């Protein structure tokens, strides 16, 4: 079993319900257990600014799935939530699931890079991830708590 971390986000539809369902779907994956989840964070859009704010969270899993199997499962969960990957990059979406890190795995191919290469640039990922694993060392990037300390978290707030 391998520990894995997934970022969740969305800004279309009932984002609270969509993220809760995605967490349930992660917990139901074969050979996988949901160990922990962060609180939800309301965050400003990143990349394409002219869109609604996002709701973001992170999940910690224990899984026997291989990296690409887990990625495929995440894409299936996105599709079930109505995600269509034909729009603008960084544009509005019902659900976005990013595989951030899998313990002991460093990978770079046409489909997947682990750890996720832009974690350190994104407070909307670091805030929920730091709730789960502040001491997590991301190969080539540093510790999550140090990355968060250097990130701009302006406009990011915990949802009640």
């Amino acid at each position: 079993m391998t520990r894995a971390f997934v970022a969740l986000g969305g800004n279309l539809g009932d984002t609270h319900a969509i993220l809760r369902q995605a967490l349930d779907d992660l917990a139901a994956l074969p050979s996988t257990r949901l160990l922990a989840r962060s609180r939800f964070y309301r965050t400003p859009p990143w990349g394409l600014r002219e869109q609604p704010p996002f709701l973001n969270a992170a999940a910690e899993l224990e899984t026997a799935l291989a990296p690409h199997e887990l990625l495929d499962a995440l894409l299936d969960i996105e599709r079930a939530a109505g995600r269509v990957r034909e729009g603008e990059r960084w544009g509005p979406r019902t659900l976005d699931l990013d595989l951030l890190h899998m313990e002991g795995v460093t990978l770079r191919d046409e489909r997947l890079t682990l750890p996720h290469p832009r974690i350190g640039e994104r407070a909307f990922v670091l805030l929920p991830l730091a709730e789960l694993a502040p001491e997590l060392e991301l190969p080539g990037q540093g510790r999550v708590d140090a990355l968060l300390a250097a990130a701009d978290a302006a406009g990011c707030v915990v949802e009640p």
Side-chain angles (χ1 to χ4, degrees):
M1 297 292 269
T2 302
R3 204 166 65 137
F5 294 89
V6 175
L8 301 89
N11 68 343
L12 294 178
D14 184 348
T15 52
H16 284 87
I18 292 168
L19 264 58
R20 283 192 300 272
Q21 181 61 55
L23 288 162
D24 289 346
D25 293 344
L26 289 171
L29 290 175
S31 305
T32 301
R33 190 165 60 106
L34 177 65
L35 298 177
R37 59 155 278 206
S38 72
R39 296 175 289 179
F40 290 161
Y41 288 81
R42 180 73 51 196
T43 64
W46 191 89
L48 182 65
R49 294 291 198 186
E50 299 301 318
Q51 61 179 314
F54 277 78
L55 194 65
N56 293 99
E60 179 180 1
L61 308 174
E62 185 177 69
T63 186
L65 297 176
H68 288 96
E69 289 176 312
L70 183 52
L71 174 64
D72 289 340
L74 298 181
L75 294 173
D76 287 344
I77 293 169
E78 285 183 352
R79 279 190 290 277
R83 171 76 187 266
V84 177
R85 287 188 170 266
E86 295 170 5
E88 257 182 298
R89 186 167 187 165
W90 300 310
R93 72 268 327 258
T94 55
L95 180 63
D96 187 32
L97 299 175
D98 285 328
L99 181 53
L100 300 175
H101 176 69
M102 291 184 79
E103 265 185 350
V105 177
T106 302
L107 176 68
R108 184 179 183 97
D109 65 27
E110 66 282 349
R111 292 189 63 220
L112 182 61
T113 299
L114 289 174
H116 192 290
R118 290 176 295 281
I119 293 172
E121 302 168 12
R122 299 174 172 178
F124 65 86
V125 170
L126 290 166
L127 282 163
L129 184 58
E131 275 189 44
L132 304 178
E135 76 298 336
L136 180 65
E137 182 72 34
L138 299 168
Q141 296 186 46
R143 278 176 53 124
V144 168
D145 53 3
L147 293 169
L148 178 57
D152 178 6
C156 299
V157 296
V158 175
E159 280 286 290

